[in-house]
């Protein structure tokens, strides 16, 4: 199995109505164009990701990785193109995508225990005006055990290390019980234990048939973790099985300079 | 020992019970209790979301609505509550508009509205309200109808806060995460601002426009210092708010002090004690 990708020039042409014909495709992105502040950040991004695989997303700063993720999660709207998640639009698949955002978007002034934080992931299942039931408490307990944080459940999230916070965000996504998990720079500034725990969790999710999208500056992680890789720089530079997609000529085009690529490669960034 | 028991009984009767032989004191007590409960519960959101300036500005901006209601002989709530909600929603819109400084646009709007209210008040003669009462609160002057309206609105505010608790918390803590799972974050923000407007208008009776902030953020900030759990911080805030309001009312009665500033001073003193105690630990 390989990821199906094409670059912008081969993207959707008018009149064609692509469907995820292959049942393995859980995320289909087609001809995606996104503007931010009048600047076109993504121009014609097309790729597909499958269940049961981890897809790494790499690219230089400003390549549009966060913009892509914010669009896939419905936080910003695309100017053109479309996204299908298990054949459904973003609006219709709200419950099936979880997002682990970069940590600076959180209001850390609000005191929140680890347990309550993970319970937020159940908000949709609990429903408006209702309180958590047994199934919700069990889901939260399971999720916390998977990231090795059950013992610390009564601690406040703003008192944790960056790596522990990241594990809690992943636990929240687990509690949500989704098909597609999207992580933005989840491994940045994370301690070794958390790295290992997160790696195990993501591999478990993959083995359970979920789709994982993981953006990282650290190409070593991507190499190690990802089955497929999407190389993004405003449009798709390469996409496919990791070993092929991360070919040196792709890296050179992606980062414009081999030196910069080497710096990334050696994990200095 | 019986002598002491008598003394205590007399003190309790004179200090704590005697004030309430007057109907106006009973009405003032009920309104103070309700304001003391509501303000810090909403204040917990105001403090953690950094909406203090917004609360202060809102309380000033409802003045034209209040004065207009006075002018047509209506209950001031009828002018102030719709005005407060309208201005809260408008300022929510201004805050969301990126590019222009939200503080500046909200500040300009609210200072202008407050000035308009003061001018409207000064142009009209023979009103039974004074600017000082509006600015500093005059809880001793509330009518039975004010009490009823306050109680009904307080019940509504607390019901909404309870029913939408997990949604409000999610949207306040992690707006992007809440939006991803499909919560209407923008609508929740507007709802919170509308509740804030209602609570501010109700609190103006007790502490006045200028001191609303004292009830809104001081007890909530105190409890957030002491308690590490958001719902418990709301509850402790309400308790501290009630203590501030009721103690302020007693000081006002026994020492002939203005009620609003008395309540604000008690709330501030509690905050000072909490900060000192926390530092000492």
């Amino acid at each position: 199995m390989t990821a199906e990708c094409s670059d912008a020039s081969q993207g959707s042409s008018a009149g064609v109505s692509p469907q995820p014909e292959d049942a393995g495709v859980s995320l289909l992105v087609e001809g995606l164009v996104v503007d931010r502040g009048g600047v076109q950040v993504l121009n014609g991004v097309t790729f597909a990701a499958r269940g049961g695989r981890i897809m790494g997303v790499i690219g230089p700063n400003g390549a549009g990785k966060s913009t892509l993720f914010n669009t896939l999660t419905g936080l910003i709207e695309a100017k053109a193109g479309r996204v299908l998640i298990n054949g459904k639009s973003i609006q219709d698949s709200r419950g099936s995508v979880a997002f682990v955002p970069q940590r600076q978007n959180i209001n850390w002034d609000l005191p929140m225990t680890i347990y309550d934080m993970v319970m937020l992931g159940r908000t949709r299942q609990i429903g408006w005006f209702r309180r958590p039931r047994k199934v919700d408490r069990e889901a939260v307990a399971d999720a916390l055990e998977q990231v090795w944080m059950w013992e610390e459940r009564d601690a406040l999230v703003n008192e944790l290390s960056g790596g522990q916070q990241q594990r809690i965000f992943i636990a929240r996504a687990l509690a949500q019980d989704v098909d597609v998990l999207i992580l933005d720079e989840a491994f940045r500034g994370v301690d070794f234990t958390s790295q290992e725990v997160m790696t195990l969790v993501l591999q478990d999710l993959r083995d359970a048939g979920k789709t994982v999208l993981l953006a990282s500056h650290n190409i070593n992680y991507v190499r190690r973790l990802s089955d497929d890789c999407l190389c993004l720089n405003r449009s798709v530079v390469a996409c496919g099985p990791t070993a092929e997609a991360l070919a040196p000529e792709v890296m050179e085009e992606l980062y414009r300079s081999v030196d910069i690529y080497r710096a990334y490669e050696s994990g200095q960034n | 020992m019986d002598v002491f028991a008598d003394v205590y009984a007399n003190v309790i009767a004179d200090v704590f019970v005697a004030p309430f032989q007057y109907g106006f004191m009973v009405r003032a007590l009920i309104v103070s209790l309700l304001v003391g409960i509501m303000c810090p519960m909403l204040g917990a959101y105001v403090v953690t979301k950094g909406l203090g300036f917004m609360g202060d500005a809102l309380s000033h901006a409802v003045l034209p609505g209040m004065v207009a209601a006075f002018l047509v002989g209506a209950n001031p709530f009828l002018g102030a509550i719709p005005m407060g909600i309208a201005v809260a929603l408008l300022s929510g819109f201004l805050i969301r508009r990126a590019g222009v400084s939200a503080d500046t646009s909200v500040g300009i709007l609210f200072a202008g509205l407050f000035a308009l209210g003061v001018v409207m008040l000064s142009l009209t003669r023979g009103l039974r309200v004074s600017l000082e009462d509006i600015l500093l609160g005059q809880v001793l002057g509330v009518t039975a109808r004010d009490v009823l309206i306050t109680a009904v609105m307080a019940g509504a505010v607390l019901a909404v806060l309870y029913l939408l608790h997990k949604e409000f918390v999610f949207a306040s803590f992690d707006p992007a995460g809440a939006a991803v799972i499909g919560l209407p974050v923008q609508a929740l923000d507007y709802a919170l601002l509308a509740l804030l407007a209602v609570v501010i208008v109700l609190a103006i009776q007790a502490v006045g426009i200028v001191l609303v902030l004292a009830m809104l953020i001081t007890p909530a900030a105190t409890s957030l210092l002491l308690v590490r759990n958001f719902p418990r911080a709301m509850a402790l805030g309400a308790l501290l708010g009630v203590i501030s309001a009721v103690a302020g009312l007693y000081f006002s009665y026994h020492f002939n002090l203005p009620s609003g500033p008395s309540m604000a001073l008690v709330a501030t003193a509690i905050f000072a004690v909490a900060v000192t105690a926390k530092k000492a630990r």
Side-chain angles (χ1 to χ4, degrees), chain A residues 73 75 94 97 99 106-107 109-112 117 120 123-124 126-131 156-157 159 172 176, chain B residues 48-49 162-164 166-167 169-170 172-177 179-184 188 224 228-230:
Chain A
T73 49
L75 290 174
R94 284 289 187 192
V97 181
F99 186 32
I106 302 300
N107 176 6
D109 288 338
L110 200 154
M112 173 81 73
M117 158 76 189
L120 293 180
T123 301
R124 205 185 166 83
I126 295 168
W128 289 91
F129 313 128
R130 307 177 86 118
R131 312 188 132 262
L156 289 184
V157 285
E159 292 170 354
R172 187 175 81 181
Q176 240 177 292
Chain B
T48 50
K49 287 172 73 109
Y162 177 79
L163 287 173
L164 294 179
K166 70 178 186 303
E167 285 81 9
V169 168
F170 199 168
S172 302
F173 176 74
D174 178 6
V180 170
I181 72 154
L183 283 186
L188 286 166
L224 282 163
R228 293 151 36 99
N229 167 307
F230 195 67

Side-chain angles (χ1 to χ4, degrees), chain A residues 57-75:
Chain A
V57 180
I58 64 165
N61 285 327
K65 301 188 293 288
S66 292
T67 300
L68 173 66
F69 285 179
N70 284 331
T71 310
L72 295 182
T73 49
L75 290 174

Side-chain angles (χ1 to χ4, degrees), chain B residues 226-241:
Chain B
L226 302 174
V227 180
R228 293 151 36 99
N229 167 307
F230 195 67
R232 271 182 228 155
M234 289 173 91
L236 178 63
L239 179 67
L240 297 177

